[in-house]
Structure formats: structure tokens, C-alpha cells
């Protein structure tokens, strides 16, 4: 799960990390009101979307050449004008794709005098099983470009979570950022604070870009934070920061029914129980020359309600030209699943071919229910047969 910049900064501030003063705003009036609370005379009006590259982004609704999604303002009038330009409009950045993202929230912050910009991030490094801290003197720009063009300007420091953040990690960070004296000391403290935040909040990634030196003080000017979804149950306060308007509506609907759904680009909708079986199903569809429209794991306890919700979500995607259901009745019995499929297919008025492969407990009863349902459900003997049949059905319909 991702959160907005202002939310991430407020979390980091709780760990003692320095950020410029700022207030979130949902309307133009709130933006002006927020600016009034800040010392001024320089403000920054920042579009809050779950994507980076906002500063260099463009708004679809504004004239070409207009300013981007992060703008300086020298008066309350300018704050107001920028807020009007941004709120409700669609910001396109290198990270949003062509569709862009609608700006519904702003963050009004104190404008600071930047001496130099740095890059600092922390993430779970699966290869080493440790936490990696990545630092660079080249802040403010795309770190991917720095990694590509000048990899020697990136320092990677790995921290063993069993040992924790040690003073030498802090010194390596200061060295990587080429900082001396008091700034080096600040970097050491910051590294420890960031690590504490990372572990305490079960983060997957924290990226600070830029970290800036402002009047001799290191400050976080922009940050992105994402969390390990499997640990979110431990953090109701973090979960409350979720902004569903930033997420795919189909994926939100799926999560309400505890379905693991990810939209893909193909034309065959898949409904499967178990992530491994779902992956195998997607593979075999590809092997037969078509592409899956989604990954969907209905989980072990698939009941009629879940199956119906899954059908509805799959069918909402206009690209879907056929559905392949591949269920192993282990915990659930095949006859119960078959009843669920039939009831769901009737309820959603199924308009595309449906191939079902059932295996497991009570499979004979399950197949009988499908056959006597009066619905045009194609039954498959095994996974290979199921894939061939759905591909044939989809091509026949095309
Ligand atoms: P993004 O990375 O999405 O473009 P940033 O928050 O990094 O957004 O803003 C882009 C640039 O704007 C930063 O690299 C920095 O130079 C400048 N900036 C951001 N916040 C401030 C601030 N509070 N004061 C002064 N300049 C800022
Ligand atoms: Mg940035």
C-alpha cells in the first residue's frame, strides 16, 4: 500500500526527522487558509498523487507550457492561483502513464532555500534478506538515470535486521553522501531515525528525493512510502491513510471480498483458487496462444458470494471474451463450488463463454450440477483441456 507525500512526512516527523512545515488541503479555500498558517513568504503548492515526477509533470486541462504539479508561490494570491490550476485536474507524469491522475488533495508547505539536493532510500532487499539503504549525492533527479549513467555515485549500505542499525552504517551513509562535520553527524542520526521508522512501520520502501541541505540542516523535501500489505493489520493508523481514489476500482472491489485480483492485458478472465494454481493457469493460457485478462485467486474458502463477486469483477473488464474457472476442491467440495458457479452465472447473466475445470472432493457431483444447469458451461477434463477449450471458444466468438 502506498500513501501520500504529506502523510509519509507526518509519519517521518514522529521519528524526529526534519521536514518543512506543511498543511494538507482539499479545496482552494483550504489551500489559502493553510498558507496563512505558514510563516511565508515562500510557499510550495504540491499536488498529492501516488506518483513521482510531479514537478516536471503537465496538466491535461491546462495550456501547453503551463507549470507542473509542484510550484513555488510568493504570495497567498499565487497559492490560490496554483491551487485552482491543480485541484480536480489531471496530472500526467513519467510515473502515471498517459491517463494521468486526478489531483484531489494538495500539500501547502514552507518554501526552503535549498543548498544541495541528495537522494536517500531504504527498501527490503530480497536477494540479501536485509534492508538496503541507498544514498546518492545526485538528488532531485530520477535515480534510475543516475544508476544507469553514473553508478559510482550511488552507495548501497546493507543492514542486517538481526543486528540493527549500527554507528558504522551511519558513517557509511555520511561518507556516501560526501558530507563532513555537522552535516555528516546529521546524516548519521537521520539514517538511524529512518531505519527505526522503516522497521516500526513495516515499510516495504521509503524514498526521500530530494533530501536537501537547507541553511546547514538536512531536511526531507519529498518522500514516498509503501508498506508491506501482509503487516498492515498491525498498523490500523497506517491503514487509515489508504486513499482508495488512487487505486484501481476493480482491485478495491476485489479486496472487499478478500479476492486477490490483478488486472492484466489479455482477453481470458481467470477464476482460480490458490495463487500457485492461478499462476499455472495463466501460463497454460499463454502456452495455448492467448493471454490472461487477470490474475484472480478466490482463496481456499470460495463460496457463492465470493464466486459471484469474482464473476462480476471479471466481467466488468470489456476486454474479457471468455472465462476459465479452474478450481481444486480441497477444503471446499466440488459440488458446493459448482452450485456457486451456476448461481453466480445466472445472477450475472453470463454473456461470454465459460469453461470450468473442477478437480477434487465430490468432483462427479460437481460436474453433474454443471451439466444439468441448463447453462452453456463447457466442462473440461484437466487443465490442458480447459486451456485448449477456452482458447477455442474465444477464437470462435471473435
Ligand atoms: P516530484 O519528485 O514529484 O517532482 P518534489 O517534491 O521532489 O516532487 O518536488 C520537485 C522539486 O521541487 C524538488 O526537487 C525541489 O527542488 C523542489 N521543492 C520541493 N519541495 C520544496 C520546498 N519545500 N521548498 C523548496 N523547494 C522545494
Ligand atoms: Mg521528488
Amino acid at each position: 500500500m502506498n500513501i501520500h507525500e504529506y502523510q509519509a512526512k507526518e509519519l517521518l516527523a514522529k521519528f524526529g526527522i526534519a521536514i518543512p512545515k506543511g498543511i494538507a488541503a482539499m479545496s482552494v479555500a483550504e489551500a489559502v487558509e493553510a498558507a496563512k498558517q505558514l510563516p511565508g513568504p515562500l510557499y510550495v503548492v504540491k499536488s498529492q498523487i501516488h506518483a513521482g515526477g510531479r514537478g516536471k509533470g503537465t496538466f491535461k486541462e491546462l495550456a501547453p507550457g503551463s507549470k507542473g504539479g509542484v510550484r513555488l508561490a510568493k504570495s497567498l494570491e499565487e497559492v490560490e492561483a496554483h491551487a485552482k490550476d491543480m485541484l480536480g485536474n489531471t496530472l500526467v507524469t513519467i510515473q502515471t502513464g498517459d491517463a494521468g491522475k486526478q489531483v484531489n488533495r494538495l500539500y501547502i508547505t514552507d518554501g526552503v532555500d535549498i543548498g544541495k539536493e541528495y537522494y536517500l532510500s531504504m527498501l527490503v532487499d530480497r536477494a540479501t534478506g536485509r534492508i538496503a539503504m541507498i544514498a546518492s549525492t545526485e538528488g532531485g533527479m530520477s535515480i534510475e538515470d543516475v544508476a544507469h549513467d553514473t553508478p559510482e555515485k550511488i552507495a548501497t549500505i546493507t543492514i542486517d535486521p538481526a543486528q540493527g542499525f549500527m554507528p558504522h552504517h551511519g558513517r557509511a551513509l555520511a561518507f556516501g553522501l560526501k558530507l563532513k562535520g555537522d552535516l555528516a553527524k546529521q546524516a548519521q542520526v537521520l539514517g538511524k531515525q529512518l531505519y527505526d521508522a522503516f522497521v516500526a512501520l513495516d515499510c516495504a520502501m521509503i524514498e526521500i528525493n530530494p533530501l536537501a541541505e537547507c541553511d546547514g540542516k538536512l531536511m526531507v523535501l519529498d518522500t514516498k512510502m509503501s508498506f508491506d500489505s501482509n503487516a498492515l493489520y498491525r498498523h490500523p493508523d497506517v491503514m487509515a491513510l489508504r486513499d482508495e481514489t488512487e487505486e484501481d476500482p476493480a482491485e478495491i472491489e476485489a479486496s472487499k471480498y478478500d479476492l486477490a485480483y490483478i488486472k492484466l492485458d489479455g482477453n481470458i478472465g481467470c477464476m482460480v483458487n490458490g495463487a500457485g494454481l492461478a499462476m499455472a493457469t495463466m501460463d497454460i493460457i499463454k502456452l495455448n496462444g492467448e493471454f490472461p485478462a487477470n490474475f484472480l485467486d478466490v482463496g481456499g474458502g470460495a463460496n457463492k458470494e465470493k464466486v459471484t463477486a469474482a464473476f462480476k469483477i471479471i466481467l466488468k473488464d470489456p476486454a474479457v471474451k471468455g472465462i476459465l474457472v479452474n478450481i481444486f476442491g480441497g477444503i471446499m467440495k466440488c459440488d458446493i463450488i459448482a452450485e456457486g458457479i451456476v448461481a453466480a452465472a445466472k445472477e450475472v447473466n453470463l454473456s461470454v463463454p465459460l469453461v470450468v475445470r473442477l478437480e477434487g472432493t465430490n468432483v462427479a457431483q460437481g460436474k453433474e450440477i454443471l451439466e444439468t444447469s441448463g447453462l452453456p458451461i463447457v466442462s473440461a477434463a484437466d487443465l490442458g483441456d480447459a486451456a485448449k477449450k477456452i482458447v477455442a471458444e474465444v477464437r470462435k466468438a471473435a
Side-chain angles (χ1 to χ4, degrees), residues 162-332:
Q163 186 190 37
F165 194 93
M166 306 298 280
H168 69 85
H169 294 126
R171 289 193 293 275
L173 170 61
F175 184 78
L177 294 176
K178 297 203 183 341
L179 295 173
K180 300 236 159 58
D182 185 54
L183 283 171
K185 288 207 181 94
Q186 289 184 42
Q188 292 173 36
V189 174
L190 172 65
K192 171 81 167 84
Q193 289 166 331
L194 196 64
Y195 180 83
D196 288 346
F198 191 93
V199 173
L201 298 169
D202 286 309
C203 292
M205 187 211 61
I206 302 177
E207 183 179 59
I208 299 172
N209 191 21
L211 170 72
E213 183 264 300
C214 319
D215 294 323
K217 204 169 167 203
L218 287 181
M219 276 192 149
V220 171
L221 295 197
D222 182 22
T223 186
K224 269 200 208 169
M225 205 185 252
S226 68
F227 301 87
D228 179 349
S229 333
N230 291 320
L232 276 176
Y233 75 96
R234 301 205 286 212
H235 307 285
D237 48 336
V238 171
M239 208 129 64
L241 302 177
R242 184 168 176 193
D243 179 0
E244 295 196 340
T245 64
E246 292 284 331
E247 298 172 23
D248 185 309
E251 289 178 17
I252 294 169
E253 183 67 14
S255 71
K256 279 187 202 151
Y257 293 91
D258 207 18
L259 302 164
Y261 171 89
I262 294 161
K263 162 112 187 66
L264 301 168
D265 294 334
N267 56 5
I268 297 180
C270 306
M271 184 178 352
V272 189
N273 64 340
L277 197 57
M279 300 294 269
T281 306
M282 289 157 50
D283 279 347
I284 205 153
I285 288 172
K286 278 192 160 186
L287 191 67
N288 281 274
E290 290 293 339
F291 287 87
N294 63 275
F295 168 96
L296 197 159
D297 173 10
V298 291
N303 52 24
K304 185 196 156 207
E305 197 200 7
K306 269 192 163 186
V307 172
T308 308
F311 267 122
K312 285 185 181 162
I313 290 163
I314 291 175
L315 286 170
K316 257 199 199 133
D317 177 358
V320 168
K321 299 291 178 259
I323 300 179
L324 172 53
V325 175
N326 183 21
I327 303 268
F328 178 75
I331 302 168
M332 283 297 289

Side-chain angles (χ1 to χ4, degrees), residues 3-285:
I3 58 173
H4 288 293
E5 173 200 358
Y6 75 92
Q7 298 166 326
K9 279 182 171 168
E10 283 166 11
L11 287 176
L12 291 183
K14 287 189 187 156
F15 289 81
I17 294 173
I19 58 167
K21 260 190 159 180
I23 300 166
M26 308 285 278
S27 66
V28 175
E30 276 181 32
V32 174
E33 205 42 52
K36 280 187 193 159
Q37 316 282 316
L38 298 172
L42 192 62
Y43 312 94
V44 189
V45 183
K46 310 186 79 171
S47 301
Q48 298 295 290
I49 54 170
H50 287 185
R54 297 163 299 167
K56 294 202 175 83
T58 50
F59 284 97
K60 276 195 174 168
E61 295 82 356
L62 302 184
S66 302
K67 288 184 189 148
V70 175
R71 302 182 184 179
L72 289 175
K74 294 196 185 79
S75 64
L76 296 180
E77 290 70 34
E78 277 184 33
V79 169
E80 185 175 11
H82 292 327
K84 276 187 185 151
D85 267 1
M86 294 179 190
L87 278 171
N89 282 341
T90 314
L91 182 56
V92 181
T93 81
I94 42 164
Q95 289 185 7
T96 61
D98 293 341
K101 281 199 159 174
Q102 194 182 44
V103 177
N104 300 314
R105 305 180 190 200
L106 299 176
Y107 189 41
I108 316 300
T109 74
D110 225 358
V112 296
D113 192 5
I114 302 173
K116 178 168 168 49
E117 299 190 332
Y118 302 90
Y119 175 94
L120 176 60
S121 67
M122 209 171 259
L123 49 93
V124 177
D125 182 354
R126 286 166 194 273
T128 58
R130 295 180 179 193
I131 293 172
M133 184 161 63
I134 296 160
S136 175
T137 50
E138 308 305 297
M141 55 183 87
S142 151
I143 196 68
E144 291 82 4
D145 292 343
V146 180
H148 183 264
D149 302 335
T150 48
E152 70 282 2
K153 289 188 174 160
I154 295 182
T156 304
I157 301 143
T158 44
I159 304 150
D160 184 344
Q163 186 190 37
F165 194 93
M166 306 298 280
H168 69 85
H169 294 126
R171 289 193 293 275
L173 170 61
F175 184 78
L177 294 176
K178 297 203 183 341
L179 295 173
K180 300 236 159 58
D182 185 54
L183 283 171
K185 288 207 181 94
Q186 289 184 42
Q188 292 173 36
V189 174
L190 172 65
K192 171 81 167 84
Q193 289 166 331
L194 196 64
Y195 180 83
D196 288 346
F198 191 93
V199 173
L201 298 169
D202 286 309
C203 292
M205 187 211 61
I206 302 177
E207 183 179 59
I208 299 172
N209 191 21
L211 170 72
E213 183 264 300
C214 319
D215 294 323
K217 204 169 167 203
L218 287 181
M219 276 192 149
V220 171
L221 295 197
D222 182 22
T223 186
K224 269 200 208 169
M225 205 185 252
S226 68
F227 301 87
D228 179 349
S229 333
N230 291 320
L232 276 176
Y233 75 96
R234 301 205 286 212
H235 307 285
D237 48 336
V238 171
M239 208 129 64
L241 302 177
R242 184 168 176 193
D243 179 0
E244 295 196 340
T245 64
E246 292 284 331
E247 298 172 23
D248 185 309
E251 289 178 17
I252 294 169
E253 183 67 14
S255 71
K256 279 187 202 151
Y257 293 91
D258 207 18
L259 302 164
Y261 171 89
I262 294 161
K263 162 112 187 66
L264 301 168
D265 294 334
N267 56 5
I268 297 180
C270 306
M271 184 178 352
V272 189
N273 64 340
L277 197 57
M279 300 294 269
T281 306
M282 289 157 50
D283 279 347
I284 205 153
I285 288 172

